[in-house]
Amino acid sequence: MNVFPDFDGLGGIGDLKEVIGALLTFILVIAVLMLIVSAIIWAIASSHGNHATASKARTGLLVALGTAALAGGGVAWMNWLIALGNQL
């Protein structure tokens, strides 16, 4: 059976790919900036003994790390699935 997705079946699919790529870049840049800011706030709050702020900054750091991993991993996973589909 030769069943595969027809990526050229929709008009403007190239534009959609460009928009998704730009949004993914934007998400990754914001996630890295949040990672840096949260790490700095966590370090400062911990050194000054403000445990409530340190806890919130740690949560922000973990959320930013998860967002970056999901955004980057999603692209790798989709590329792997497409390559696997081409082999079948």
Side-chain angles (χ1 to χ4, degrees):
M1 290 186 0
N2 291 329
V3 178
F4 59 91
D6 184 15
F7 292 116
D8 296 325
L10 295 173
I13 196 76
D15 294 335
L16 182 62
K17 287 181 182 180
E18 288 181 24
V19 168
I20 291 173
L23 286 174
L24 183 61
T25 303
F26 185 70
I27 288 170
L28 288 174
V29 167
I30 295 298
V32 169
L33 289 176
M34 280 301 300
L35 192 78
I36 293 168
V37 169
S38 293
I40 290 170
I41 292 173
W42 184 11
I44 291 172
S46 293
S47 68
H48 287 287
N50 193 343
H51 301 293
T53 304
S55 175
K56 290 179 183 179
R58 183 176 57 236
T59 302
L61 184 104
L62 293 174
V63 168
L65 185 65
T67 301
L70 285 174
V75 171
W77 185 48
M78 286 304 297
N79 287 335
W80 179 77
L81 287 175
I82 290 171
L84 182 67
N86 287 335
Q87 290 178 357
L88 299 175

